[in-house]
Amino acid sequence: MKRKGKWIVAGVISAALVGGGTGLAVATAGGDDDSTEKPITGVALEKASAAALAHMGGGKVTDTELGDEDGYYEVEVTLKGKQSDVHLDKDFKVISTEADSENEKNDQD
């Protein structure tokens, strides 16, 4: 391959990579809030779940989120058919709860 041909091929490959990366970034950033949520994992998941379930008096953990806008951790608990979001600080202390169905926020002391 001649030198000019190599530069053209390199340019086409570079353009494809940049264009593909841009498309991926747009697709990742678009619309659905759930796509940017990070679940709680590992030991933090165990501690956050235990704190939320103790606070709610039982139930089942149905979803988690790290870095929620209302707290450092968010644990969704389903109890008796109702879902509530329990917001925790970095030390796994409850800072608020929010009943999903009622959309009411109850701040905790």
Side-chain angles (χ1 to χ4, degrees):
M1 205 181 233
K2 291 185 179 181
R3 191 169 220 174
K4 185 176 180 181
K6 289 180 182 178
W7 283 107
I8 292 172
V9 170
V12 169
I13 291 171
S14 295
L17 290 174
V18 170
T22 303
L24 179 61
V26 170
T28 303
D32 188 10
D33 289 336
D34 291 340
S35 67
T36 60
E37 293 179 2
K38 294 181 182 179
I40 305 169
T41 60
V43 175
L45 174 61
E46 294 173 22
K47 290 181 178 182
S49 296
L53 292 172
H55 175 74
M56 295 298 295
K60 180 179 178 181
V61 173
T62 52
D63 196 14
T64 65
E65 182 181 348
L66 178 63
D68 176 63
E69 65 274 359
D70 293 315
Y72 192 78
Y73 300 106
E74 178 183 278
V75 180
E76 183 180 271
V77 176
T78 301
L79 179 63
K80 298 180 183 177
K82 295 184 179 181
Q83 292 181 343
S84 295
D85 294 334
V86 180
H87 303 106
L88 308 166
D89 65 12
K90 286 184 179 184
D91 297 319
F92 305 99
K93 294 180 183 172
V94 175
I95 53 177
S96 67
T97 58
E98 184 177 345
D100 285 349
S101 60
E102 299 171 8
N103 292 325
E104 291 181 14
K105 191 181 260 186
N106 300 314
D107 291 330
Q108 303 298 316
D109 292 329

